[in-house]
């Protein structure tokens, strides 16, 4: 199907764009009252994720309401551990909770390598989203990066330090690699399924990248991301891939060497320095502080335009430096989106 707006795909591939494309990480849940209305009518978050028609509906809401240049499929990175055999619950105001966690070789052996069919609800949600969008904007598929997924499988929940997961890397490095390999393979199968369903680009979220040492990141985290990029590119060389490794300022050069199109920056990463380290043949995505959206329209406009100028007219996808915070005023989010869309160099 012909896309009416392919700005984000062209920016990712380094082609010329009339203006900078814009979307927000976590745009599909969290902020919109229209999302809350649907969410509150259900038993919980998982029912929404697992009901393709409703997941498609909340995926499209930010396109209709905020005017963003892409839709990101409504799901969660934690569907992969579940498809591998670890059920999770999403506890209100607390976050994810896994009854069973991974600690031994036997635990890892018992995990299955997930297939796309194990995640048919998200695959179906992508198909429905594509039909309903009818080419208005591209659809972004996504997954967690293997290290971030491993951290949840070891911890069993969110954590400030993820010290159990980091301890596992020090004390059981061979098992860590075995687990990472199984997660990587599952993720590749899942992402292939998302592409076949119609995803136009992919983003890999390494949300807990920043808590590893440089050496650990190179040894345990980069390998899986590299394998994911290579596997996807071998079959779909034109499909843009974004790698967002939050806090991983210390491996920007290595991220720049991955077989992907775009590197996501968080708001701590200096734009000029990142461009230097990542190199000129990647697109950069980001990177305003999500807290900027709590400020006045005047400040949002000034900071957004400063950012746009600093990234320059090509090879940039405007975004925040992490997901939009749940209590952000949707009006301010729309103002940010409009500021990007109205700006001309
Ligand atoms: O928000 C969207 O745009 C919809 C899609 C989406 C995405 C891309 C959701 C829905 N989750 C994610 C990714 C995700 N999930 C990440 C990577 C991005 C990031 O760093 O923000 C991570 C780390 C998670 C794990 C997760 N899911 C957490 C964090 C737990 C922790 O460690 O503290 C939480 C609280 C969730 C729940 C969740 N996922 C998505 C929504 C809308 C929610 C809120 C649940 C609800 O509505 O009840």
């Amino acid at each position: 199907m012909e896309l009416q707006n392919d700005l984000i795909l062209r920016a990712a591939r380094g082609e010329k764009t009339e203006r900078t494309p814009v979307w927000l990480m976590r745009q599909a849940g969290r902020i919109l009252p229209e999302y809350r209305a649907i969410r509150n009518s259900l038993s919980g978050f998982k029912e929404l994720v697992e009901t393709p028609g409703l997941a498609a509906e909340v995926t499209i809401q930010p396109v209709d309401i905020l005017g963003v240049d892409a839709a990101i499929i409504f799901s969660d990175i934690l569907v992969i551990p579940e498809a591998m055999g670890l059920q999770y619950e999403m506890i209100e105001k607390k976050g994810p909770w896994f009854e069973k966690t991974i600690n031994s070789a036997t635990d890892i052996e018992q995990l299955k390598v997930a297939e796309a069919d194990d995640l048919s609800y998200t695959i179906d949600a992508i198909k429905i989203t594509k039909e309903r969008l009818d080419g208005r904007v591209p659809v972004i598929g996504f997954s967690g990066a293997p290290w971030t997924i491993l951290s949840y499988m070891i911890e069993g929940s969110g954590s400030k330090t993820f010290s159990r997961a980091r301890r596992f890397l020090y004390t059981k490095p061979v098992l860590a690699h075995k687990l990472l390999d199984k997660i990587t393979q599952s993720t590749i199968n899942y992402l292939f399924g998302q592409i076949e369903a119609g995803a136009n680009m992919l983003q890999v979220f390494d949300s807990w990248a920043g808590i590893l040492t440089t050496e650990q990141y190179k040894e345990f985290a980069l390998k899986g991301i590299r394998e994911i990029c290579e596997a996807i590119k071998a079959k779909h060389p034109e499909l843009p891939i974004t790698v967002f490794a939050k806090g991983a300022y210390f491996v920007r050069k290595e991220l720049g060497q991955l077989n992907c199109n775009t590197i996501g920056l968080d708001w701590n990463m200096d734009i000029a320095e990142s461009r230097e380290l990542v190199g000129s043949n990647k697109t950069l995505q980001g990177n305003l502080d999500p807290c900027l959206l709590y400020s006045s329209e005047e400040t949002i406009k000034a900071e957004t335009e400063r950012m746009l100028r600093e990234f320059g007219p090509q090879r940039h996808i405007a975004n925040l430096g992490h997901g939009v915070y749940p209590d952000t005023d949707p009006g301010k989010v729309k103002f940010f989106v409009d500021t990007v869309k109205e700006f001309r160099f």
Side-chain angles (χ1 to χ4, degrees), residues 45-46 78 82 87-91 95-99 156:
F45 170 74
K46 285 185 80 172
L78 301 176
E82 182 159 86
Q87 286 252 337
Y88 73 95
E89 280 175 51
M90 197 59 84
I91 299 170
W97 185 77
F98 289 86
E99 187 177 327

Side-chain angles (χ1 to χ4, degrees), residues 161-187:
T161 58
F162 279 94
S163 51
R164 278 168 26 118
R166 288 192 287 138
R167 177 167 75 182
F168 195 77
L169 299 188
Y170 283 111
T171 57
K172 297 176 181 167
V174 176
L175 290 189
H177 278 295
K178 281 209 170 104
L179 179 51
L180 287 164
D181 286 346
K182 251 179 156 162
I183 297 169
T184 301
Q185 197 49 56
S186 302
T187 304

Side-chain angles (χ1 to χ4, degrees), residues 161 194 247 310:
T161 58
Q194 295 190 39
E310 217 176 319

Side-chain angles (χ1 to χ4, degrees), residues 21 24 51 58 64-65 79 114 123 130 144 154-155 167 188 201 203 219 242 246 248 268 272 274 294 303 312 332:
L24 289 89
T51 310
V58 298
D64 290 336
I65 300 165
V79 299
I123 304 297
K130 289 284 291 186
I154 304 280
E155 294 284 338
R167 177 167 75 182
I188 291 170
M201 70 191 291
Q203 175 155 326
E219 184 184 345
T242 301
K246 169 92 175 57
N268 293 119
S274 299
Y294 295 122
E303 282 299 301
K332 294 284 177 68

Side-chain angles (χ1 to χ4, degrees), residues 26-29 35 39 45 75-76 90 96 142 152 158 207 322:
R26 310 302 298 271
Q27 68 188 15
Y35 163 76
R39 166 79 177 70
F45 170 74
S75 185
D76 198 89
M90 197 59 84
F142 74 91
Y152 285 102
S207 303
H322 200 189

Side-chain angles (χ1 to χ4, degrees), residues 252-325:
R252 281 174 289 178
K253 192 156 176 259
E254 289 76 7
L255 293 170
Q257 289 158 2
L258 289 169
N259 192 1
C260 69
N261 303 74
T262 303
I263 300 299
L265 305 183
D266 66 41
W267 66 93
N268 293 119
M269 297 175 183
D270 180 79
I271 296 169
E273 183 187 66
S274 299
R275 175 50 81 198
E276 184 73 29
L277 287 167
V278 168
S280 58
N281 58 3
K282 291 269 188 289
T283 295
L284 298 176
Q285 175 173 275
N287 73 338
L288 289 171
D289 179 355
C291 281
L292 171 70
L293 301 185
Y294 295 122
S295 67
S296 67
E297 292 194 343
E298 199 183 359
T299 307
I300 294 172
K301 186 164 195 287
E303 282 299 301
T304 302
E305 293 188 344
R306 181 197 56 74
M307 169 191 74
L308 290 169
R309 283 201 185 87
E310 217 176 319
F311 276 106
Q314 305 300 329
R315 280 215 175 270
H316 178 219
I317 297 168
N319 206 312
L320 303 178
H322 200 189
V324 59
Y325 295 138

